[in-house]
Amino acid sequence: MNKKKSTEHQSPDPDWMEQWLRDFFLDPHTEYEDNAIFKIDIYETDDHWIVEAVLQDYASSEIKVKVENSKLMILHKNRTIPR
């Protein structure tokens, strides 16, 4: 029987993350997306990544954060948000 490899505690590749951050912050659409999608900050310590995301229209129980295939994913329950 094949066991599925757990990615729960898998860290993203630091080189890939560094390049993604460079691309993200040099992208001219970043400011627009900050206001259109949600604000996110990523901090690096010696042994952790800290992610702060503002999703003001959602309760914490509606948000799931996971790492899958070395990619950070922030998911929410699909529902209509009042505007």
Side-chain angles (χ1 to χ4, degrees), residues 58-71:
Y58 296 94
S60 59
S61 61
E62 297 176 304
I63 300 167
K64 182 176 182 177
V65 178
K66 66 181 183 175
V67 175
E68 188 173 287
N69 297 323
S70 297
K71 293 181 183 175

Side-chain angles (χ1 to χ4, degrees), residues 8 10-11 19 23-24 39-40 45 49 55-56 67-68 70 75-76:
E8 185 176 333
Q10 184 179 0
S11 296
Q19 183 61 48
D23 293 345
F24 180 81
K39 293 185 183 220
I40 185 169
T45 67
W49 290 92
L55 295 119
Q56 61 191 13
V67 175
E68 188 173 287
S70 297
L75 310 166
H76 63 83

Side-chain angles (χ1 to χ4, degrees), residues 7-64:
T7 58
E8 185 176 333
H9 298 290
Q10 184 179 0
S11 296
D13 175 42
D15 294 331
W16 177 88
M17 182 63 89
E18 192 70 32
Q19 183 61 48
W20 181 87
L21 289 169
R22 256 190 244 107
D23 293 345
F24 180 81
F25 287 110
L26 296 176
D27 184 341
H29 299 288
T30 298
E31 185 177 348
Y32 167 77
E33 290 176 351
D34 276 349
N35 295 311
I37 302 172
F38 61 88
K39 293 185 183 220
I40 185 169
D41 285 314
I42 302 173
Y43 306 95
E44 181 181 10
T45 67
D46 289 337
D47 56 352
H48 292 89
W49 290 92
I50 300 169
V51 178
E52 292 180 354
V54 177
L55 295 119
Q56 61 191 13
D57 294 325
Y58 296 94
S60 59
S61 61
E62 297 176 304
I63 300 167
K64 182 176 182 177

